[in-house]
Amino acid sequence: MIERYSRPEMKRVWSDENKFSKWLDVEIAVCEAWVKLGKIPNTSLAKIKMAKCDLNLMAKIVTETHHDMTAFLGSIAPSVGQDARFIHMGLTSSDVMDTALSLQLVESSKLLSAGMKTLIEALAVKAIEHKYTLMIGRTHGIHAEPTTFGLKLALWMEEMQRNRHRLEEAAKVTAFGQISGAVGTYATVPMEVEEIACAKLELTPAPISNQILQRDRHAQFITTLAICAASLEKFATEIRLLQKTESREVEEPFQEGQTGSSSMPHKRNPELCERICGMARLMRGYALTSMENVALWHERDISHSSTERIILPDACLLLDYMIDVFSAVITNLNVYPQNMLKGLEITRGLVFSQRIMLALIDKGLSRQEAYKLTQRNAMKCWKTGRKFMSLLKSDSEIMQQINPEELDAIFDYYFYTVHVDAIFQRLGLTASQWKGKMTQKSTVRLAPKAL
């Protein structure tokens, strides 16, 4: 991943230094297992534990061998001396590489999970803050009925909780090691070595392997990251739409001195959210590649290896970055409740059409009759620009069923917030539960009963 999109902690996880350190951890864990089985002297183990990987020497050896593992073993041998002959005893390259890769995935999962937790908290706090902030709900991009901005954010929070759970499950699937020899038969390394080494590394031994850990595990991990990225794309897309100049209901943070255009000084573009949307496309490509890596020739080939050098580090780095950026967007999001209220009024009361239809049904009309009467006036409202209530009051068939006082009561935005508290309770989104995370800005806005 390019430097611009790489955060330090995740970058460290996928550095060559950490990768080869993990390889060495696996080799040492295996040697410790051999010592317990009486195959390696304790004195040799003490020297092996002092082994160091000389990256410069490794780079020089690999130009000749064209093989990472033989170059790695050659680079640590000088620091161990004669006892280096015990390192990698009975193993094949993938025993070390795949088991070490699992350790990197476990590390990455912990960082991603922590980032998701931060985002979930940011969404929760902002949802409570805007629990009653009325806005229009849209279906097909068209005004439907009122909702609240808090409900929108609460829905995102709950989705991110699911994503965090998915990540936990995917992390469990990748937290496996294998020390089973050339084609997974344990012919040159007994199962006890695998069990002891994996216990030392805090990994679960794979029940069966065939020189590699099966790539459905890695595919589940990457596709899970892609799903998380897709959720972030969904949220970011919504912010982009709500930031359109015509409505400007919300706006991603725009810092002093920031520029949105080289030619138009007035521009304040949703570039952070656009960046997230672009990155989600990349993540889906990684997911496809991970699934194509599942089918390898016979016991294995290395067609997956070249792609995993890219997709595994990059997917982790990319999602780590996306989560951090979107957390900052949510925390510092500019919200404009007055513009949301203006948006509610654009259709001059048409948002109450369902309530009118239901009121007519309650008076005894059939659903078809009620729908026809209501739609007749709704279409006039669209065409003429007159207020929906005014049209209803001038329709004698409507007024025969609904009196003016009942009609006024129907046109009440507060009606759409009646169950907000219950929804938030169901999600565990209460101010008391999140008190420690709340900011001074976190205040609820009471919905107006009429506009």
Side-chain angles (χ1 to χ4, degrees):
M1 180 50 59
I2 63 174
E3 189 69 26
R4 178 173 180 173
Y5 302 141
S6 300
R7 299 178 71 223
E9 287 188 82
M10 189 65 81
K11 183 179 176 183
R12 182 200 62 78
V13 171
W14 293 100
S15 66
D16 281 347
E17 291 81 0
N18 190 51
K19 178 172 75 172
F20 298 135
S21 175
K22 293 287 188 290
W23 287 13
L24 190 54
D25 289 343
V26 175
E27 294 283 8
I28 291 172
V30 170
C31 287
E32 289 179 335
W34 280 122
V35 167
K36 288 187 176 182
L37 295 179
K39 295 294 185 180
I40 296 178
N42 266 312
T43 53
S44 297
L45 179 62
K47 293 178 182 179
I48 291 169
K49 284 186 173 181
M50 300 297 291
K52 292 182 180 179
C53 175
D54 184 333
L55 293 180
N56 291 326
L57 178 58
M58 183 176 175
K60 187 180 296 184
I61 296 173
V62 83
T63 60
E64 178 184 346
T65 64
H66 301 283
H67 195 286
D68 285 356
M69 184 53 63
T70 55
F72 168 74
L73 294 171
S75 75
I76 62 176
S79 65
V80 178
Q82 186 178 5
D83 290 303
R85 71 185 189 276
F86 295 122
I87 298 174
H88 207 69
M89 190 167 67
L91 306 187
T92 189
S93 299
S94 293
D95 286 330
V96 177
M97 291 177 171
D98 275 9
T99 302
L101 178 59
S102 294
L103 294 174
Q104 286 180 286
L105 292 173
V106 168
E107 277 193 284
S108 297
S109 299
K110 289 177 181 177
L111 290 176
L112 292 171
S113 182
M116 288 184 188
K117 183 174 184 288
T118 298
L119 175 54
I120 288 166
E121 290 172 353
L123 288 166
V125 168
K126 194 68 73 173
I128 293 170
E129 181 183 346
H130 292 284
K131 185 176 181 179
Y132 300 110
T133 302
L134 274 169
M135 68 181 302
I136 189 63
R138 299 171 173 92
T139 57
H140 306 276
I142 306 301
H143 283 207
E145 290 186 351
T147 183
T148 77
F149 188 53
L151 284 173
K152 189 183 294 286
L153 294 169
L155 184 138
W156 295 357
M157 183 214 72
E158 202 257 343
E159 184 165 338
M160 281 310 302
Q161 287 178 327
R162 289 199 303 277
N163 283 329
R164 193 167 183 232
H165 177 70
R166 289 186 183 105
L167 178 64
E168 290 171 357
E169 292 302 309
K172 290 176 184 177
V173 169
T174 56
F176 281 78
Q178 61 140 69
I179 311 292
S180 57
V183 289
T185 62
Y186 300 97
T188 55
V189 54
M191 297 177 77
E192 291 86 349
V193 169
E194 180 182 66
E195 291 166 0
I196 295 168
C198 284
K200 175 74 175 178
L201 298 167
E202 298 183 351
L203 296 173
T204 302
I208 184 171
S209 57
N210 60 352
Q211 195 180 102
I212 60 167
L213 289 170
Q214 301 308 288
R215 261 41 198 178
D216 64 287
R217 297 179 183 275
H218 305 77
Q220 181 175 344
F221 183 82
I222 296 294
T223 52
T224 296
L225 301 198
I227 291 170
C228 296
S231 293
L232 294 175
E233 180 185 22
K234 180 177 83 172
F235 309 155
T237 298
E238 183 69 7
I239 290 174
R240 290 170 61 193
L241 289 168
L242 296 177
Q243 188 168 330
K244 290 172 68 177
T245 308
E246 292 86 343
S247 56
R248 199 171 174 238
E249 293 167 285
V250 303
E251 184 180 50
E252 71 174 41
F254 192 87
Q255 299 176 353
E256 185 176 350
Q258 184 176 341
T259 58
S261 167
S262 63
S263 58
M264 295 169 283
H266 72 277
K267 295 282 279 178
R268 292 165 65 104
N269 302 326
E271 61 95 6
L272 295 174
C273 288
E274 289 172 339
R275 193 183 307 170
I276 288 168
C277 291
M279 289 175 169
R281 299 169 189 169
L282 195 58
M283 289 290 285
R284 285 191 285 276
Y286 294 157
L288 177 60
T289 302
S290 73
M291 288 185 281
E292 292 181 340
N293 284 343
V294 174
L296 304 177
W297 285 18
H298 300 301
E299 273 52 63
R300 77 126 179 173
D301 57 56
I302 60 166
S303 59
H304 64 292
S305 175
S306 56
T307 67
E308 286 181 353
R309 292 172 189 264
I310 299 169
I311 66 171
L312 290 172
D314 280 14
C316 292
L317 283 158
L318 201 59
L319 186 61
D320 178 62
Y321 177 83
M322 292 171 71
I323 291 169
D324 183 63
V325 169
F326 196 68
S327 294
V329 168
I330 290 297
T331 299
N332 301 292
L333 189 68
N334 297 311
V335 182
Y336 303 110
Q338 292 305 315
N339 288 346
M340 292 178 176
L341 292 176
K342 287 179 184 177
L344 281 171
E345 292 288 274
I346 286 176
T347 59
R348 297 175 174 81
L350 283 179
V351 295
F352 296 103
S353 69
Q354 182 177 194
R355 292 203 69 199
I356 295 297
M357 181 186 70
L358 293 175
L360 291 171
I361 292 172
D362 284 343
K363 296 294 183 178
L365 273 65
S366 70
R367 182 178 181 84
Q368 290 72 25
E369 291 174 316
Y371 192 103
K372 185 176 180 180
L373 283 175
T374 306
Q375 188 185 48
R376 181 174 71 195
N377 288 281
M379 293 305 105
K380 286 181 183 177
C381 181
W382 279 116
K383 291 178 182 178
T384 66
R386 289 178 59 189
K387 289 184 177 181
F388 188 43
M389 183 184 286
S390 175
L391 289 166
L392 293 171
K393 287 183 176 179
S394 64
D395 188 319
S396 60
E397 288 187 75
I398 295 286
M399 298 313 293
Q400 284 176 10
Q401 304 295 330
I402 305 174
N403 65 49
E405 291 76 18
E406 290 174 323
L407 193 60
D408 289 340
I410 287 172
F411 279 67
D412 181 0
Y413 289 121
Y414 184 73
F415 174 83
Y416 298 96
T417 68
V418 170
H419 300 291
V420 170
D421 280 345
I423 296 171
F424 272 61
Q425 286 282 351
R426 178 187 284 175
L427 294 171
L429 270 175
T430 62
S432 60
Q433 288 171 296
W434 290 87
K435 189 175 181 180
K437 302 290 182 181
M438 302 293 283
T439 65
Q440 290 184 348
K441 293 195 304 180
S442 300
T443 56
V444 296
R445 293 178 174 85
L446 294 178
K449 290 192 175 183
L451 289 178

